[in-house]
Amino acid sequence: PETIRPGPVLWNDNEPFHDAEVEAIARKAGVPILYGCVIGRVDPAVGRVSALYNGAALARPDGSPGAWYGKQQLVPFLERVPFARWIGYDPAQRAASKRNWLTLLGNFSQGPEATIFSVGPARIGALICYEGLYPALARQYRRDGANLLAVMVNDSWWGRTFFPAWHARMSAARAIETGNPVIRAGNNG
C-alpha cells in the first residue's frame, strides 16, 4: 500500500537507487517487492535531503539497483502547496530549524517522470492513491508500454464511508480504459 514502509528511504541521487532493508526481505523471500514509501533524495553537494517524494520503489532479490517513482499528481495542501511555483515556495528550501507538525503539509515534490517497473514479463505502472482518479496518467503508462497497473492506496482515513469503495471502482475504470489488468493494494483492504 501507499507509504507502507516505515521511515523514509534516503537515496543519494548520484548513486543507483537501493533500499537495503527491503532488498534484504526480497532476498530472503526470493521475489522482487514493489512497495509504497517516502523517498528522500539526498543532494550530495549539500549533504541533506533536497526533495521528498510520496513514491513507490522496487527491491530486487539479487541486490541489483531497483527503480523508484515519485507521485505525479499530488493532493493539494496535504502533499503540495497550490501555486507554489508562483509564490516561490520550494519545500526543499524550508528552514530545518523551524520544524513542527505543519511542516508535514505540502512538503512533497512532484516526481520527475512516470516510471515503469520491469519484473520479468510484467511492465508495471504505479498509481499512488488518488492518481488512480486520473485517466491521463494510466493512459500514458499504457502508451509507454505498461501491461499492468499497480494502485497503492491508504484509504483508512475515510473510515466507514462510501469513499473507499468508490475509490476502488475508479481503479476498475482505469483497467477498462487501458485494457490493462489492475492490482490494487490498500492497508484496509
Side-chain angles (χ1 to χ4, degrees):
E2 180 182 16
T3 62
I4 194 68
R5 183 196 189 280
V9 178
L10 297 178
W11 165 60
N12 190 329
D13 73 359
N14 66 352
E15 297 174 3
F17 184 85
H18 281 285
D19 180 352
E21 291 179 41
V22 179
E23 285 171 6
I25 297 168
R27 190 169 30 264
K28 186 174 182 179
V31 296
I33 300 173
L34 179 63
Y35 60 100
C37 60
V38 172
I39 299 167
R41 180 182 238 166
V42 177
D43 181 345
V46 294
R48 68 177 184 91
V49 173
S50 61
L52 283 175
Y53 302 98
N54 182 355
L58 178 65
R60 299 184 183 281
D62 63 3
S64 63
W68 70 279
Y69 167 69
K71 189 173 180 180
Q72 302 290 294
Q73 299 289 333
L74 299 171
V75 178
F77 297 107
L78 296 177
E79 295 178 317
R80 71 172 175 87
V81 173
F83 312 109
R85 189 174 67 220
W86 291 290
I87 62 173
Y89 177 77
D90 178 359
Q93 301 302 317
R94 68 189 185 281
S97 62
K98 295 184 180 181
R99 292 179 190 234
N100 64 39
W101 69 274
L102 290 174
T103 63
L104 297 173
L105 303 176
N107 276 343
F108 287 112
S109 296
Q110 181 180 10
E113 62 188 6
T115 303
I116 294 181
F117 298 94
S118 294
V119 178
R123 297 192 30 86
I124 306 165
L127 299 170
I128 299 174
C129 202
Y130 288 106
E131 287 185 322
L133 301 178
Y134 295 92
L137 185 55
R139 287 194 302 262
Q140 177 187 341
Y141 274 129
R142 175 67 178 190
R143 280 191 307 273
D144 292 347
N147 57 18
L148 175 68
L149 297 174
V151 182
M152 302 171 179
V153 303
N154 176 358
D155 280 340
S156 63
W157 61 281
W158 285 111
R160 294 184 172 268
T161 66
F162 69 91
F163 289 107
W166 171 79
H167 194 203
R169 285 195 283 284
M170 293 298 100
S171 296
R174 301 299 78 86
I176 293 165
E177 293 165 352
T178 63
N180 281 343
V182 171
I183 296 172
R184 187 172 188 271
N187 61 345
N188 65 333

